[in-house]
Amino acid sequence: MIDPDDFDDDLDFEDEEILKVKRISEMTEGEKLQRFKRFFDSSSRAMLQDCLFRIENYEDGTGTLEILCPNESVQQRLYRKKRKITNNINTCWSHIRWFSLCIEQDGKLYCHKYTRNGDLVLSYTNS
């Protein structure tokens, strides 16, 4: 039986780094991306595991998170989660203003670019 009045002063709290949460400003882009993915449910995280990510940074300091989907089906499923995507972008990156959902077909990259509000800005193709 445990005595509730018996306090042990030998607790070791030297490993405070374990309890410390990194500030976003201290995270690498990879850590921010992992944080971004963690905010989704398990089925969405599984979908995101098959995607590739990159950030296109612009001269004015803003950027676009580009998500390369493995196929059109994943792209459409992520489109339905665009509000969740924008909310998660806002918690991970302050300079990201847009996100793109892209697929590659016939050697070309087809993308739909959205604002932080989830509104379509433009559709474009890169060769």
Side-chain angles (χ1 to χ4, degrees), residues 53-116:
F53 298 82
R54 77 174 177 186
I55 295 176
E56 184 176 349
N57 291 305
Y58 305 113
E59 291 179 13
D60 66 358
T62 62
T64 298
L65 175 66
E66 293 182 342
I67 304 172
L68 177 59
C69 304
N71 55 52
E72 194 171 345
S73 174
V74 171
Q75 183 186 35
Q76 290 172 357
R77 287 177 63 196
L78 288 176
Y79 170 78
R80 286 185 229 120
K81 298 197 176 286
K82 63 184 181 177
R83 174 59 55 202
K84 183 78 168 169
I85 290 171
T86 58
N87 288 342
N88 294 343
I89 286 172
N90 292 337
T91 64
C92 297
W93 295 278
S94 59
H95 75 289
I96 301 295
R97 297 288 180 252
W98 304 274
F99 74 96
S100 294
L101 295 175
C102 306
I103 57 170
E104 186 177 0
Q105 291 179 332
D106 303 323
K108 293 183 180 180
L109 194 62
Y110 296 92
C111 299
H112 300 285
K113 188 173 182 177
Y114 301 93
T115 66
R116 277 179 144 176

Side-chain angles (χ1 to χ4, degrees), residues 8-14:
D8 186 6
D9 292 334
D10 295 331
L11 295 175
D12 184 14
F13 286 104
E14 289 181 39

Side-chain angles (χ1 to χ4, degrees), residues 4 6 13 18 23-24 28 38 42 45 50-51 53 99 102 104 114 116 118 126:
D6 182 23
F13 286 104
I18 294 173
R23 293 177 182 230
I24 291 180
T28 65
R38 271 196 314 263
S42 60
R45 280 194 309 270
D50 294 333
C51 298
F53 298 82
F99 74 96
C102 306
E104 186 177 0
Y114 301 93
R116 277 179 144 176
N126 289 342

